[in-house]
Amino acid sequence: MNAVALAGTGLITALGSGPHAFWGGLLRGERAFGELTAFEGDFRSRTVAAAPPSVFPAAPDRTTPGRRKHAMALAAAAQALRAAGLPGLPAGALVVLVSQAPGTADGTAREFTGPDPDALLAALGSAPGQAAVVHLSHACASAAFAASFARDWLLSGLGDTALVAGASALNPYEYASMDVVRTLSPGGARPFDTTRDGITVGEGGGAFVLETAARANRRGHRPKAWLSGAACLVDSTQAVASEPAAIRAAMRGALEDAGVGRVDYVHAHATGTAQGDAAEVEAVGELARELGPHPVPVSSHKGAVGHLLHASAFPALVAAVGFLREARLPGTPGLRAPLEVPDGVVTVKESTAAVRAEHVLVNSFGFSGNNASLVLSAAGR
């Protein structure tokens, strides 16, 4: 059995604290967008999806991006452990922190670091040396790459529990980099819409606990879902543009890894850019034709909470779990006039009941050809 248990999730987004706040807002089609107030600058857009101040009770300085990241990652990690039924981080666990880059010895690049590993582990009840810590960075696909990495670690027999955590906080460095390549939407992201004109940068933190099936069974814990397949590819001829062939290869690879010949829903990466959304639906259309006669529903959460950059797969996984557990397709907030899609693909505007909810593909892509697809499978309701 190549599946590992997704034992628990935690999430902080502009919709509030906890997976339920996000999932409920997504089903209602809410768009948690507002004006950028964290810093100044002459940007193409000042529309962002900032996390509300109420989700930072542990942050002594809410204006510092590094501390905001740490507070959100810690809160999400604590949520994930509680949801997994764990009082703390087990000894011998793997901890994967997703971020742009780890901190340096001389303290430089502080704004680009993720959560403080020592402080996070201590807060989660882990003594020094009791957990293996790995930093992982694959652009906006980082959290999905981390899920695959942790799954491989568990399946290799190196341990039975893994925690993946990370956060993205609004800061002038990343925001300016998005502005330079002209990806920001002046009015707010509208994935799959004919009027889409770019991304909305969001902030938030996420975490999830993975464990082996054997450990889940020993504890009598019913997983939220099974992480049954994954494919991570670094494959591109262009630094920024998405390529349908690479996206299709990632999705096909994840399904083959899971041993699944049908997908009931694709939670798309779809950020709201003209080229990226079109490339993804083209790839999904090609896959749908290979899989058979059943139409494949597709939607994206980024019209609700924006793009969390390297942490963007955390809300995507929560949406996938919600779909599997409730057999309900989340809509795409902000979608008004859907773009033309290939036969076999259906873009979901508003939440609706699913015909079947057994397997879902989660896509996560980043600059420089970082492409990841995950397959989550139902664990029973």
Side-chain angles (χ1 to χ4, degrees), residues 31-53:
R31 283 164 64 79
F33 294 169
E35 181 78 10
L36 174 65
T37 60
F39 46 86
E40 296 300 321
D42 183 16
F43 303 116
R44 181 171 181 252
S45 170
R46 298 193 66 83
T47 300
V48 297

Side-chain angles (χ1 to χ4, degrees), residues 183 191-192 196 198-199 240-244 247 268-284 339 363 365 367:
T183 63
F192 300 131
R196 65 193 186 280
I199 73 171
V240 176
S242 298
E243 298 178 20
I247 294 171
H269 180 70
T271 61
T273 64
Q275 192 275 333
D277 289 12
E280 190 168 8
V281 295
E282 179 182 338
V284 174
L339 80 167
N363 285 341
F365 311 130
F367 285 171

Side-chain angles (χ1 to χ4, degrees), residues 77-258:
Q79 291 173 11
L81 288 171
R82 285 196 299 271
L86 295 172
L89 192 64
L94 170 70
V95 176
V96 186
L97 299 178
V98 297
S99 58
Q100 296 92 333
T104 57
D106 62 359
T108 59
R110 286 185 180 274
E111 303 297 354
F112 290 89
T113 62
D116 182 314
D118 293 335
L120 185 141
L121 293 178
L124 297 177
S126 179
Q130 283 192 338
V133 179
V134 173
H135 291 267
L136 193 147
S137 183
H138 280 272
C140 295
S142 293
F145 270 76
S148 178
F149 179 90
R151 172 175 172 263
D152 288 346
W153 186 87
L154 293 170
L155 293 176
S156 72
L158 290 171
D160 56 20
T161 307
L163 170 71
V164 177
S168 180
L170 290 166
N171 65 79
Y173 309 100
E174 288 176 318
Y175 204 79
S177 72
M178 295 294 103
D179 186 67
V180 166
V181 293
R182 300 186 64 78
T183 63
L184 298 177
S185 168
R190 296 185 179 279
F192 300 131
D193 198 278
T194 55
T195 65
R196 65 193 186 280
D197 57 0
I199 73 171
T200 295
V201 178
E203 69 175 355
F208 51 85
V209 175
L210 299 177
E211 62 183 359
T212 61
R215 177 172 171 81
N217 289 334
R218 286 198 306 270
R219 296 197 303 123
H221 180 74
R222 190 181 75 179
K224 304 296 183 185
W226 296 102
L227 177 54
S228 52
C232 297
L233 308 174
V234 180
D235 179 16
S236 180
T237 60
Q238 301 181 64
V240 176
S242 298
E243 298 178 20
I247 294 171
R248 185 178 66 252
M251 292 190 294
R252 185 188 291 128
L255 290 170
E256 291 175 353
D257 185 40

Side-chain angles (χ1 to χ4, degrees), residues 263-266 284 287-288 291 294-298 344-347:
V263 61
D264 303 310
Y265 166 55
V266 173
V284 174
L287 182 69
L291 295 180
H294 303 285
V296 177
V298 180
V345 179
V346 177
T347 50

Side-chain angles (χ1 to χ4, degrees), residues 13 15-26 28 30:
T13 69
L15 285 170
S17 179
H20 291 295
F22 166 77
W23 177 243
L26 185 62
R28 292 188 293 270
E30 295 178 7

